[in-house]
Amino acid sequence: MTSRLNYAQQSPELFKKLLDLSMALKDSAIEQTIHDLIHIRASQINGCGFCLDMHVKEAKIHGESELRLHHVAIWRESTLFVPRERAALAWTEALTTLTEGGIPDELYERVRGQLSEKEVSDLTFSIMVINAWNRVNVAFKTVPGSADKAYGLDKAGLN
């Protein structure tokens, strides 16, 4: 696969703003494990090879088990995720695949049963950001693994 263009070079100011928002989310009310899981799930749904590759490697570096990484795609059937993670994954899927009817109240109430209002808000911003990254990387065919050295992802040992 060949990348179409380097959006960071073409639109450096906009790239930096999105990157700044991504970095701000590292200090959010949502723990790193959930960030990793939702980034992986949204990237799977959106078919973003670059982001999926990146976030699987990041999760591995953060200590995530390989089996749980394999189970993200089947999280509903898996017994490896706690209710809080399940709520975050359900919210991720709903926001990533918005339907004509919007987000059902039942889902919101289920998510609120596991996360505070602040956490739901921060989680929603994190989902928004990964969807933005997915869209730009899909649009410009960013090659999976092409930034491993720059982002330290070669340390994941998954090459």
Side-chain angles (χ1 to χ4, degrees):
M1 179 164 102
T2 304
S3 183
R4 290 180 171 153
L5 63 81
N6 185 325
Y7 59 85
Q9 287 177 349
Q10 296 303 314
S11 304
E13 307 83 16
L14 298 174
F15 171 78
K16 182 164 179 354
K17 298 248 185 232
L18 187 55
L19 189 60
D20 288 346
L21 182 54
S22 293
M23 293 298 111
L25 287 164
K26 290 193 181 291
D27 294 325
S28 76
I30 299 299
E31 59 270 27
Q32 187 62 57
T33 300
I34 288 182
H35 280 291
D36 290 338
L37 294 174
I38 67 159
H39 292 164
I40 290 166
R41 187 64 189 129
S43 298
Q44 289 172 334
I45 292 167
N46 289 322
C48 183
F50 178 82
C51 292
L52 181 58
D53 179 82
M54 170 189 281
H55 295 298
V56 164
K57 290 172 181 171
E58 283 181 338
K60 185 75 174 140
I61 290 168
H62 297 145
E64 189 58 75
S65 80
E66 288 190 39
L67 185 57
R68 276 176 40 104
L69 292 174
H70 289 290
H71 277 224
V72 171
I74 59 154
W75 67 268
R76 282 184 178 81
E77 294 81 20
S78 176
T79 59
L80 302 179
F81 301 98
V82 299
R84 181 176 172 82
E85 294 167 334
R86 291 177 177 285
L89 288 163
W91 194 245
T92 300
E93 288 185 357
L95 292 177
T96 299
T97 58
L98 287 173
T99 61
E100 196 172 306
I103 308 299
D105 290 340
E106 177 274 325
L107 175 58
Y108 176 75
E109 293 305 324
R110 189 165 17 119
V111 172
R112 275 290 289 122
Q114 296 296 321
L115 291 90
S116 71
E117 286 185 352
K118 167 76 167 137
E119 290 169 331
V120 173
S121 182
D122 286 1
L123 176 64
T124 301
F125 275 94
S126 188
I127 295 165
M128 290 167 35
V129 168
I130 188 56
N131 277 286
W133 286 117
N134 287 167
R135 280 149 178 75
V136 75
N137 284 299
V138 167
F140 299 123
K141 293 187 174 184
T142 309
V143 178
S146 60
D148 281 6
K149 272 222 186 300
Y151 297 146
L153 300 174
D154 48 340
K155 294 176 181 77
L158 295 175
N159 296 335

